[in-house]
mmCIF file of all heavy atoms in Angstrom:
data_model
loop_
_atom_site.group_PDB
_atom_site.id
_atom_site.type_symbol
_atom_site.label_atom_id
_atom_site.label_comp_id
_atom_site.label_asym_id
_atom_site.label_seq_id
_atom_site.Cartn_x
_atom_site.Cartn_y
_atom_site.Cartn_z
ATOM 1 N N LEU A 92 42.807 129.956 67.490
ATOM 2 C CA LEU A 92 43.129 129.448 66.156
ATOM 3 C C LEU A 92 43.728 128.051 66.232
ATOM 4 O O LEU A 92 43.406 127.177 65.420
ATOM 5 C CB LEU A 92 44.114 130.381 65.444
ATOM 6 C CG LEU A 92 43.549 131.603 64.715
ATOM 7 C CD1 LEU A 92 44.688 132.359 64.045
ATOM 8 C CD2 LEU A 92 42.507 131.203 63.678
ATOM 9 N N LEU A 93 44.617 127.841 67.203
ATOM 10 C CA LEU A 93 45.214 126.515 67.361
ATOM 11 C C LEU A 93 44.134 125.481 67.645
ATOM 12 O O LEU A 93 44.121 124.400 67.030
ATOM 13 C CB LEU A 93 46.231 126.529 68.503
ATOM 14 C CG LEU A 93 46.778 125.151 68.892
ATOM 15 C CD1 LEU A 93 47.685 124.602 67.803
ATOM 16 C CD2 LEU A 93 47.521 125.212 70.224
ATOM 17 N N LYS A 94 43.225 125.821 68.551
ATOM 18 C CA LYS A 94 42.170 124.867 68.899
ATOM 19 C C LYS A 94 41.279 124.563 67.703
ATOM 20 O O LYS A 94 40.926 123.402 67.456
ATOM 21 C CB LYS A 94 41.347 125.405 70.077
ATOM 22 C CG LYS A 94 42.111 125.379 71.394
ATOM 23 C CD LYS A 94 41.236 125.715 72.583
ATOM 24 C CE LYS A 94 41.074 127.199 72.749
ATOM 25 N NZ LYS A 94 40.407 127.553 74.028
ATOM 26 N N ARG A 95 40.950 125.595 66.946
ATOM 27 C CA ARG A 95 40.107 125.364 65.772
ATOM 28 C C ARG A 95 40.836 124.552 64.716
ATOM 29 O O ARG A 95 40.241 123.688 64.063
ATOM 30 C CB ARG A 95 39.639 126.706 65.192
ATOM 31 C CG ARG A 95 38.576 127.402 66.041
ATOM 32 C CD ARG A 95 37.878 128.512 65.275
ATOM 33 N NE ARG A 95 38.760 129.630 64.998
ATOM 34 C CZ ARG A 95 38.986 130.622 65.859
ATOM 35 N NH1 ARG A 95 38.410 130.614 67.059
ATOM 36 N NH2 ARG A 95 39.798 131.616 65.543
ATOM 37 N N PHE A 96 42.132 124.822 64.561
ATOM 38 C CA PHE A 96 42.905 124.075 63.568
ATOM 39 C C PHE A 96 42.922 122.587 63.919
ATOM 40 O O PHE A 96 42.678 121.729 63.056
ATOM 41 C CB PHE A 96 44.337 124.611 63.492
ATOM 42 C CG PHE A 96 45.226 123.833 62.554
ATOM 43 C CD1 PHE A 96 45.120 123.996 61.180
ATOM 44 C CD2 PHE A 96 46.171 122.938 63.048
ATOM 45 C CE1 PHE A 96 45.935 123.278 60.313
ATOM 46 C CE2 PHE A 96 46.984 122.214 62.193
ATOM 47 C CZ PHE A 96 46.860 122.395 60.817
ATOM 48 N N VAL A 97 43.184 122.276 65.180
ATOM 49 C CA VAL A 97 43.238 120.864 65.588
ATOM 50 C C VAL A 97 41.870 120.218 65.450
ATOM 51 O O VAL A 97 41.722 119.128 64.885
ATOM 52 C CB VAL A 97 43.780 120.732 67.025
ATOM 53 C CG1 VAL A 97 43.677 119.288 67.503
ATOM 54 C CG2 VAL A 97 45.232 121.210 67.096
ATOM 55 N N ARG A 98 40.842 120.904 65.918
ATOM 56 C CA ARG A 98 39.497 120.316 65.879
ATOM 57 C C ARG A 98 38.984 120.137 64.461
ATOM 58 O O ARG A 98 38.339 119.134 64.145
ATOM 59 C CB ARG A 98 38.533 121.200 66.681
ATOM 60 C CG ARG A 98 38.734 121.119 68.195
ATOM 61 C CD ARG A 98 37.948 122.186 68.908
ATOM 62 N NE ARG A 98 38.120 122.119 70.366
ATOM 63 C CZ ARG A 98 37.885 123.132 71.188
ATOM 64 N NH1 ARG A 98 37.486 124.310 70.700
ATOM 65 N NH2 ARG A 98 38.051 122.991 72.487
ATOM 66 N N HIS A 99 39.252 121.107 63.593
ATOM 67 C CA HIS A 99 38.699 121.070 62.236
ATOM 68 C C HIS A 99 39.570 120.286 61.255
ATOM 69 O O HIS A 99 39.061 119.720 60.296
ATOM 70 C CB HIS A 99 38.497 122.488 61.702
ATOM 71 C CG HIS A 99 37.488 123.270 62.480
ATOM 72 N ND1 HIS A 99 37.322 124.633 62.328
ATOM 73 C CD2 HIS A 99 36.591 122.900 63.423
ATOM 74 C CE1 HIS A 99 36.371 125.056 63.143
ATOM 75 N NE2 HIS A 99 35.923 124.028 63.820
ATOM 76 N N ASP A 100 40.873 120.261 61.484
ATOM 77 C CA ASP A 100 41.788 119.675 60.500
ATOM 78 C C ASP A 100 42.316 118.306 60.900
ATOM 79 O O ASP A 100 42.838 117.589 60.046
ATOM 80 C CB ASP A 100 42.975 120.611 60.256
ATOM 81 C CG ASP A 100 42.594 121.872 59.510
ATOM 82 O OD1 ASP A 100 41.768 122.645 60.019
ATOM 83 O OD2 ASP A 100 43.111 122.083 58.419
ATOM 84 N N LEU A 101 42.210 117.937 62.170
ATOM 85 C CA LEU A 101 42.828 116.701 62.624
ATOM 86 C C LEU A 101 42.278 115.483 61.893
ATOM 87 O O LEU A 101 43.046 114.597 61.482
ATOM 88 C CB LEU A 101 42.648 116.544 64.134
ATOM 89 C CG LEU A 101 43.331 115.320 64.746
ATOM 90 C CD1 LEU A 101 44.829 115.331 64.461
ATOM 91 C CD2 LEU A 101 43.081 115.284 66.268
ATOM 92 N N ALA A 102 40.968 115.428 61.712
ATOM 93 C CA ALA A 102 40.379 114.274 61.025
ATOM 94 C C ALA A 102 40.908 114.144 59.599
ATOM 95 O O ALA A 102 41.219 113.042 59.133
ATOM 96 C CB ALA A 102 38.853 114.392 61.021
ATOM 97 N N GLU A 103 41.051 115.286 58.901
ATOM 98 C CA GLU A 103 41.558 115.248 57.535
ATOM 99 C C GLU A 103 43.027 114.852 57.507
ATOM 100 O O GLU A 103 43.460 114.066 56.648
ATOM 101 C CB GLU A 103 41.374 116.606 56.863
ATOM 102 C CG GLU A 103 41.851 116.646 55.414
ATOM 103 C CD GLU A 103 41.613 117.981 54.740
ATOM 104 O OE1 GLU A 103 40.961 118.848 55.353
ATOM 105 O OE2 GLU A 103 42.100 118.150 53.612
ATOM 106 N N LEU A 104 43.808 115.386 58.444
ATOM 107 C CA LEU A 104 45.214 115.011 58.516
ATOM 108 C C LEU A 104 45.345 113.505 58.745
ATOM 109 O O LEU A 104 46.168 112.830 58.104
ATOM 110 C CB LEU A 104 45.907 115.774 59.649
ATOM 111 C CG LEU A 104 46.043 117.293 59.462
ATOM 112 C CD1 LEU A 104 46.555 117.936 60.749
ATOM 113 C CD2 LEU A 104 46.982 117.631 58.310
ATOM 114 N N HIS A 105 44.536 112.990 59.641
ATOM 115 C CA HIS A 105 44.573 111.559 59.948
ATOM 116 C C HIS A 105 44.158 110.734 58.726
ATOM 117 O O HIS A 105 44.801 109.722 58.392
ATOM 118 C CB HIS A 105 43.664 111.268 61.132
ATOM 119 C CG HIS A 105 43.688 109.852 61.598
ATOM 120 N ND1 HIS A 105 44.850 109.122 61.734
ATOM 121 C CD2 HIS A 105 42.666 109.004 61.951
ATOM 122 C CE1 HIS A 105 44.554 107.893 62.169
ATOM 123 N NE2 HIS A 105 43.243 107.806 62.288
ATOM 124 N N ALA A 106 43.098 111.164 58.045
ATOM 125 C CA ALA A 106 42.631 110.445 56.853
ATOM 126 C C ALA A 106 43.680 110.433 55.755
ATOM 127 O O ALA A 106 43.728 109.491 54.947
ATOM 128 C CB ALA A 106 41.336 111.075 56.343
ATOM 129 N N ASN A 107 44.529 111.466 55.728
ATOM 130 C CA ASN A 107 45.586 111.554 54.717
ATOM 131 C C ASN A 107 46.895 110.924 55.173
ATOM 132 O O ASN A 107 47.948 111.152 54.561
ATOM 133 C CB ASN A 107 45.815 113.022 54.327
ATOM 134 C CG ASN A 107 44.667 113.583 53.519
ATOM 135 O OD1 ASN A 107 44.031 112.868 52.738
ATOM 136 N ND2 ASN A 107 44.382 114.864 53.690
ATOM 137 N N ASN A 108 46.834 110.138 56.253
ATOM 138 C CA ASN A 108 47.991 109.378 56.736
ATOM 139 C C ASN A 108 49.105 110.284 57.240
ATOM 140 O O ASN A 108 50.285 109.918 57.200
ATOM 141 C CB ASN A 108 48.524 108.453 55.625
ATOM 142 C CG ASN A 108 49.446 107.358 56.163
ATOM 143 O OD1 ASN A 108 49.298 106.908 57.297
ATOM 144 N ND2 ASN A 108 50.400 106.938 55.352
ATOM 145 N N ILE A 109 48.757 111.479 57.722
ATOM 146 C CA ILE A 109 49.747 112.429 58.240
ATOM 147 C C ILE A 109 49.896 112.240 59.745
ATOM 148 O O ILE A 109 48.906 112.166 60.478
ATOM 149 C CB ILE A 109 49.328 113.878 57.915
ATOM 150 C CG1 ILE A 109 49.388 114.101 56.392
ATOM 151 C CG2 ILE A 109 50.217 114.886 58.640
ATOM 152 C CD1 ILE A 109 48.818 115.420 55.947
ATOM 153 N N ARG A 110 51.127 112.144 60.176
ATOM 154 C CA ARG A 110 51.427 112.032 61.599
ATOM 155 C C ARG A 110 51.700 113.416 62.160
ATOM 156 O O ARG A 110 52.430 114.200 61.552
ATOM 157 C CB ARG A 110 52.657 111.142 61.806
ATOM 158 C CG ARG A 110 53.086 110.982 63.260
ATOM 159 C CD ARG A 110 54.415 110.238 63.334
ATOM 160 N NE ARG A 110 54.905 110.159 64.704
ATOM 161 C CZ ARG A 110 56.191 110.184 65.042
ATOM 162 N NH1 ARG A 110 57.113 110.305 64.102
ATOM 163 N NH2 ARG A 110 56.566 110.097 66.303
ATOM 164 N N VAL A 111 51.134 113.722 63.307
ATOM 165 C CA VAL A 111 51.328 115.018 63.956
ATOM 166 C C VAL A 111 52.245 114.850 65.159
ATOM 167 O O VAL A 111 52.054 113.950 65.989
ATOM 168 C CB VAL A 111 49.981 115.627 64.400
ATOM 169 C CG1 VAL A 111 50.213 116.950 65.137
ATOM 170 C CG2 VAL A 111 49.060 115.839 63.204
ATOM 171 N N ARG A 112 53.265 115.677 65.213
ATOM 172 C CA ARG A 112 54.162 115.730 66.374
ATOM 173 C C ARG A 112 54.186 117.151 66.883
ATOM 174 O O ARG A 112 54.211 118.102 66.105
ATOM 175 C CB ARG A 112 55.580 115.303 65.973
ATOM 176 C CG ARG A 112 55.774 113.816 65.932
ATOM 177 C CD ARG A 112 56.030 113.238 67.325
ATOM 178 N NE ARG A 112 57.420 113.478 67.727
ATOM 179 C CZ ARG A 112 57.794 114.336 68.686
ATOM 180 N NH1 ARG A 112 56.901 115.072 69.316
ATOM 181 N NH2 ARG A 112 59.075 114.488 69.007
ATOM 182 N N ILE A 113 54.188 117.308 68.184
ATOM 183 C CA ILE A 113 54.241 118.630 68.812
ATOM 184 C C ILE A 113 55.567 118.741 69.554
ATOM 185 O O ILE A 113 55.930 117.843 70.324
ATOM 186 C CB ILE A 113 53.083 118.836 69.808
ATOM 187 C CG1 ILE A 113 51.739 118.405 69.205
ATOM 188 C CG2 ILE A 113 53.050 120.289 70.266
ATOM 189 C CD1 ILE A 113 51.276 119.214 68.039
#
Side-chain angles (χ1 to χ4, degrees):
L92 276 182
L93 172 70
K94 289 189 278 189
R95 287 195 292 275
F96 176 76
V97 173
R98 288 169 180 159
H99 296 168
D100 290 61
L101 184 58
E103 181 178 353
L104 293 171
H105 184 43
N107 289 327
N108 197 30
I109 293 172
R110 179 188 176 214
V111 177
R112 278 279 282 110
I113 313 295

